[in-house]
Amino acid sequence: MKRFDVAIIGAGIAGASLAAELAAHASVLLIEAEDAPGYHATGRSAAFWSETYGGPGVQPLTSASGAYLIGNGFLEPLGSLHIGRADDAAAADAFIAEFATSGISLKRVDPRAIVPGLRADWTIGISEPSCAYIDVAGLHQHYLARARRGGAEIALRAGLVAAARENGGWRIETPGATWQAGIIANAAGAWADEVARIAGIAPLGLDAFRRTMAQLRTDPATPDGMPHVAHIGGSFYFKPEAGGRLWLSPHDEIPSQPCDSAPEEIDVAIAIDRFEHVVDWRVAAVERRWAGLRTFAPDRLPVIGFDGGVDDFFWFAGQGGFGIQTAPAAAMLAASLLRRAAPPEAVAAIDSTRYAPTRFG
């Protein structure tokens, strides 16, 4: 029975990035239940990087990830425009105030001068120039390749069946194999609480929510140079894609059990209805639609650290909808905590205790 220093459960962006950061320092096994890594939340991302997305508690991880993402060619300019109507004025003021000390450039603008066809009542606009497209598939493959180069082994179609302590570590059973590991790192996304239960660890109360996306063709076509556009009140966002297409979401959060999530027709219809109250564009076609799960801890911050009651079970979960954009910094921070080593300079200023599972008692 082969033994590893760390067994990471889940090979989405969380598990892959953590494996990449650990592989040079420890023997790593990356376990994935599906036929391919990144099948669920990672493969269904809205694919943009925004320093304000997720709020002030997530922003340090997002901002600290920027240099890595830019340096490795995973970001392309996009920009973001947060818009509202007169009744969103208080939300706009609160949004500006939340990030007043963050160093993020936010500027009040007239959104009607930026988005052609924007209806006249959308008078509030806040520009976030740093927002960018993110190459999700490229980033995920980059981390998997780094992990393999570092010596990590990846096991597919290996859903966790059992995990129990044995010989000073863990005995880990899947349908096709059994391994030993000194530490389990739980990066199982929507299944993270279930992984904890299998290992005899108290769950944290992580909740999964369905998020719907649709790819549209519009008349007129999405204009060149248009930024990502999001409602300050949180009821929709849309962004341009190649070939004049548009990605649209109703910014929904529908409670869900962990599953292979699929879009509901009603949610796509709601998204289109909201969109048509924003711009004078006709939806010419819905080319495709999909849904993914976003998993949150009770306080909606990620969970990064050793379990409060068990010193060989590590949580790397609850990344909500911001797991892609925070992946570099979150993985660096998690790897340093797992190794009980000083964090690298890129994340040295981040207070890791705000993400510790022990905050839940």
Side-chain angles (χ1 to χ4, degrees):
M1 192 186 307
K2 193 166 184 179
R3 183 181 177 92
F4 296 84
D5 295 323
V6 182
I8 301 172
I9 313 299
I13 194 67
S17 58
L18 182 57
E21 293 295 335
L22 282 176
H25 308 281
S27 57
V28 174
L29 173 66
L30 184 57
I31 297 174
E32 171 57 50
E34 302 294 345
D35 292 344
Y39 176 75
H40 292 286
T42 298
R44 307 177 196 193
S45 165
F48 64 89
W49 180 85
S50 166
E51 291 179 276
T52 62
Y53 194 59
V58 174
Q59 176 265 319
L61 292 169
T62 305
S63 296
S65 296
Y68 187 96
L69 294 170
I70 293 169
N72 287 281
F74 295 117
L75 297 186
E76 293 184 11
L78 172 62
S80 186
L81 180 64
H82 306 268
I83 66 172
R85 292 175 287 203
D87 57 358
D88 293 310
D93 291 342
F95 179 78
I96 292 284
E98 276 185 328
F99 296 99
T101 62
S102 66
I104 302 170
S105 174
L106 298 174
K107 181 182 177 182
R108 291 187 183 269
V109 296
D110 182 351
R112 296 165 297 185
I114 298 172
V115 180
L118 191 67
R119 292 183 180 271
D121 54 341
W122 293 90
T123 56
I124 296 173
I126 301 171
S127 173
E128 182 185 342
S130 62
C131 181
Y133 291 105
I134 184 167
D135 180 0
V136 176
L139 180 63
H140 188 219
Q141 291 303 314
H142 163 84
Y143 277 128
L144 291 171
R146 267 191 63 192
R148 290 188 181 100
R149 287 197 303 270
E153 295 188 24
I154 302 175
L156 302 177
R157 296 177 291 279
L160 186 67
V161 172
R165 287 189 179 77
E166 179 180 277
N167 299 327
W170 292 92
R171 179 188 176 95
I172 297 166
E173 297 182 19
T174 69
T178 301
W179 297 276
Q180 288 183 330
I183 295 171
I184 287 178
N186 183 1
W191 288 264
D193 267 357
E194 179 59 25
V195 165
R197 291 187 185 95
I198 290 172
I201 306 296
L204 296 182
L206 301 173
D207 290 316
F209 299 87
R210 187 176 73 243
R211 169 63 51 87
T212 305
M213 294 291 298
Q215 179 174 292
L216 312 178
R217 281 195 178 276
T218 61
D219 182 16
T222 306
D224 292 339
M226 193 187 77
H228 166 270
V229 179
H231 180 209
I232 290 170
S235 65
F236 63 81
Y237 60 80
F238 54 88
K239 73 184 183 81
E241 287 295 315
R245 295 174 174 85
L246 185 105
W247 282 11
L248 169 68
S249 173
H251 206 267
D252 51 342
E253 288 190 356
I254 311 299
S256 173
Q257 293 297 313
C259 65
D260 184 1
S261 187
E264 298 284 346
E265 289 296 331
I266 184 63
D267 297 323
V268 176
I270 288 170
I272 292 172
D273 179 68
R274 291 176 182 175
F275 178 71
E276 290 177 337
H277 283 82
V278 178
V279 292
D280 291 322
W281 304 350
R282 184 178 68 88
V283 175
V286 178
E287 294 187 328
R288 65 187 183 102
R289 64 206 76 193
W290 66 98
L293 297 182
R294 301 149 49 86
T295 304
F296 290 98
D299 61 2
R300 299 182 75 86
L301 293 180
V303 184
I304 307 174
F306 283 101
D307 187 83
V310 182
D311 62 3
D312 55 6
F313 189 91
F314 189 91
W315 290 88
F316 194 42
Q319 286 94 346
F322 37 80
I324 309 293
Q325 67 176 34
T326 61
M332 291 181 214
L333 191 65
S336 65
L337 291 170
L338 257 169
R339 297 173 53 224
R340 294 180 170 85
E345 183 179 354
V347 295
I350 296 176
D351 178 11
S352 64
T353 61
R354 73 192 308 179
Y355 309 123
T358 52
R359 71 187 188 266
F360 300 114

